[in-house]
Amino acid sequence: MLWRFGYFLAWQLVGGALGWWLEGPWGAAVGAAVAAWLWFGGDLWRGVRVLRWLRSGDLSATPSSFGMWGEAAERARRLLRQRQALVKDSEERLQEILAALQATPNGVVLLDAEGRIEWCNQIAAVQLGFDAQRDVMQSIGNLVRDPDFGAYYAAQDFTHDVVLQGRDSTPSRPVRISVHLHPYGEGRKLLLTRDVTALEQADAMRRDFVANVSHEIRTPLTVLTGFVETLQTLPLDAEERARYLTMMAQQAARMQSVVHDLLTLSRLEGSPLPGMSEWTPVQVLMQRCEDEGRALSAVLTQNHHRHHVLQFPAAQDLRAEGEIAGVPSELQSALSNLISNAVRYTPAGGTITVQWRHTDDGSAIFTVSDTGPGIAPEHIPRITERFYRVDRSRSRETGGTGLGLAIVKHAVQRHGATLEITSVLGKGSVFSVTFPANRLRRPALPDGLQPTASAQTALQ
Ligand code: ADP
């Protein structure tokens, strides 16, 4: 400020001196006044330039000036630069936050105080069926027409979510979307969406499973209790008592099988994936399968005049098939279950053929074919579900639990193998398990070499 005053005085002094030199004292007064006006004009012009520059907002063309106006322009330029950097920084942060919200696996919608969409990510747009760009500033109530959502929004109780039918939902492929509103700011709302189809399905499966288990255990238990009451209350002769006790033993055995299979399933689900360190000779597995299959067939056909025809691969052929990596008890359980099913469902006189063959790509296929009743195509996709049975009475009669194929599927999947089922109703079924090449090794075994004792004991 002092400079400015000094500068103004210097102009007047120079003007006054020039006037004095030209016209004496009057000339000095006129010279000082003219100099003051010139100074004022120049100052005004510099001020107007700075003001015009500020109005334009174009920081690149800062007017070069000195004195107070120069400093004012420089300070304004610095402030504007700082503000611009702040805005750019905020913009970048906003874009990062929006990108993070885009990347979340759940849907996110920002609603203003009037319930209009300010922003939404792609997942929410897909799940709720609107367009992330076109529907901005549209009212959410107009876009989500589900009456359940309307009631939820109107009730303004956002402590819980509401589950709606997804836009792509069809009767065969239902899609369920959970929608939860969270109020924030001044009347604004954050709407979160989540696909809960798998969760709801798992929940329904769990409920079905518990109901099935209770049913499977309760039925024999009710029968057992009935027999116990009969034995307690009625005076029975020795023959009748023996008959009742046999039936009681059958029911107890049935319960035992269900519990055994449930435990096997839960062990399969709970244990770590089979490693590659434990190798079992294919011949050992197949020998055990053969023993079990023949024993079961003998029991089931003991009162028939015809028996099953059981065909298994020859032991010397199996020796050349080498070894398989995995948990021996799980592999055994899977293969035996398939043979047991073939034996149980094939009437006496039918043929059951078991094969093990390797393919050119190094994998191996275990196949059980039977000439039993076969399975209708509509049942095939479901027979590996827990407790799913096509023929309930045949399953029970032969000691089935409805869990056998669920165990097989689980066990083979854990070993990287696949289960394939083909069947012709009235003609028979073929169950094949394909083991991947990495779980098999076929050393050039010299003839007559027997499997190691350790492998034999692993199966005990
Ligand atoms: P289960 O203990 O009832 O045999 P599984 O899970 O082993 O239960 O099999 C499921 C259903 O698949 C059986 O109830 C049966 O109806 C059908 N099934 C399985 N294997 C055969 C087969 N070899 N021939 C005909 N039906 C079969």
Side-chain angles (χ1 to χ4, degrees):
M1 256 343 237
L2 219 60
W3 267 102
R4 191 171 158 79
F5 188 62
Y7 191 53
F8 177 66
L9 271 182
W11 266 77
Q12 281 202 319
L13 277 175
V14 170
L18 208 66
W20 183 280
W21 179 63
L22 287 173
E23 291 291 338
W26 278 106
V30 172
V34 169
W37 276 104
L38 279 174
W39 179 88
F40 181 66
D43 192 64
L44 200 66
W45 178 72
R46 289 207 315 278
V48 166
R49 274 184 67 204
V50 169
L51 208 64
R52 217 183 274 155
W53 168 72
L54 278 174
R55 279 198 196 122
S56 82
D58 180 9
L59 287 187
S60 58
T62 318
S64 58
S65 195
F66 54 89
M68 190 185 79
W69 291 114
E71 191 182 331
E74 181 55 28
R75 283 183 187 274
R77 192 184 62 80
R78 266 193 234 152
L79 275 175
L80 283 169
R81 274 264 153 82
Q82 273 173 9
R83 182 65 54 86
Q84 266 190 348
L86 266 175
V87 169
K88 194 163 164 261
D89 198 45
S90 307
E91 183 70 22
E92 275 170 10
R93 273 163 181 269
L94 181 66
Q95 289 309 323
E96 273 168 23
I97 291 168
L98 292 182
L101 291 178
Q102 276 294 6
T104 56
N106 297 331
V108 181
V109 184
L110 304 180
L111 300 174
D112 69 5
E114 271 72 50
R116 289 176 303 218
I117 299 169
E118 285 186 320
W119 182 88
C120 77
N121 69 358
Q122 203 50 38
I123 302 255
V126 170
Q127 288 179 343
L128 298 174
F130 45 72
D131 189 305
Q133 266 90 47
R134 194 195 56 214
D135 290 333
V136 166
M137 293 323 280
Q138 293 288 321
S139 171
I140 187 86
N142 293 339
L143 296 169
V144 183
R145 312 290 301 194
D146 194 313
D148 286 348
F149 179 75
Y152 173 67
Y153 196 83
Q156 298 279 309
D157 173 12
F158 304 134
T159 51
H160 60 93
D161 65 340
V162 63
V163 179
L164 313 174
Q165 193 114 311
R167 274 291 168 109
D168 302 332
S169 193
T170 58
S172 56
R173 272 186 54 121
V175 178
R176 308 278 292 157
I177 306 292
S178 150
V179 173
H180 201 162
L181 278 160
H182 301 270
Y184 76 99
E186 286 179 13
R188 288 162 180 272
K189 285 170 199 80
L190 170 73
L191 185 146
L192 298 178
T193 66
R194 197 160 50 103
D195 189 334
V196 289
T197 315
L199 256 172
E200 287 208 341
Q201 274 170 354
D203 213 36
M205 269 171 70
R206 189 187 51 78
R207 277 198 305 272
D208 284 356
F209 183 65
V210 171
N212 275 324
V213 171
S214 319
H215 176 78
E216 293 293 328
I217 302 277
R218 206 174 42 210
T219 311
L221 205 56
T222 313
V223 180
L224 254 179
T225 324
F227 285 142
V228 170
E229 272 173 22
T230 311
L231 286 174
Q232 281 173 332
T233 51
L234 292 181
L236 301 170
D237 59 36
E239 198 183 318
E240 275 177 322
R241 280 176 74 86
R243 200 162 56 82
Y244 274 84
L245 285 170
T246 310
M247 289 194 283
M248 284 168 76
Q250 279 169 356
Q251 296 303 320
R254 193 176 137 193
M255 284 200 316
Q256 220 164 14
S257 312
V258 173
V259 173
H260 174 270
D261 281 359
L262 282 172
L263 283 175
T264 307
L265 259 179
S266 104
R267 226 175 288 135
L268 284 175
E269 280 173 347
S271 46
L273 282 178
M276 300 291 290
S277 55
E278 208 170 350
W279 291 86
T280 309
V282 172
Q283 191 209 349
V284 172
L285 281 177
M286 296 296 282
Q287 188 56 54
R288 179 63 71 90
C289 287
E290 182 170 348
D291 294 347
E292 287 182 3
R294 288 194 191 282
L296 182 65
S297 167
V299 172
L300 292 177
T301 59
Q302 62 187 350
N303 298 325
H304 297 72
H305 57 278
R306 292 166 75 197
H307 298 282
H308 287 130
V309 179
L310 294 163
Q311 295 170 336
F312 285 88
Q316 68 266 27
D317 295 342
L318 288 172
R319 256 174 244 146
E321 291 300 330
E323 297 176 310
I324 179 163
V327 180
S329 56
E330 288 183 20
L331 293 167
Q332 186 66 62
S333 164
L335 306 189
S336 289
N337 255 307
L338 292 179
I339 296 172
S340 148
N341 276 356
V343 171
R344 287 191 299 116
Y345 291 103
T346 305
T351 304
I352 292 128
T353 310
V354 178
Q355 287 171 309
W356 179 283
R357 61 191 168 82
H358 59 266
T359 60
D360 291 341
D361 65 3
S363 56
I365 307 174
F366 168 83
T367 314
V368 184
S369 329
D370 65 53
T371 56
I375 306 158
E378 67 269 24
H379 293 297
I380 292 182
R382 296 200 60 192
I383 56 170
T384 53
E385 286 176 19
R386 289 157 196 211
F387 297 114
Y388 189 87
R389 293 169 170 117
V390 180
D391 184 347
R392 210 157 264 277
S393 57
R394 178 94 186 114
S395 163
R396 295 248 163 79
E397 258 169 46
T398 57
T401 58
L403 294 169
L405 289 180
I407 292 174
V408 174
K409 190 177 170 189
H410 224 88
V412 302
Q413 276 179 350
R414 279 165 55 79
H415 287 81
T418 50
L419 172 67
E420 206 179 300
I421 306 163
T422 50
S423 186
V424 179
L425 206 55
K427 290 222 174 336
S429 316
V430 181
F431 288 77
S432 314
V433 178
T434 307
F435 290 99
N438 66 332
R439 286 205 171 261
L440 300 158
R441 63 179 182 205
R442 300 180 62 229
L445 286 175
D447 256 5
L449 193 74
Q450 293 302 313
T452 57
S454 67
Q456 293 269 16
T457 47
L459 289 164
Q460 301 306 309

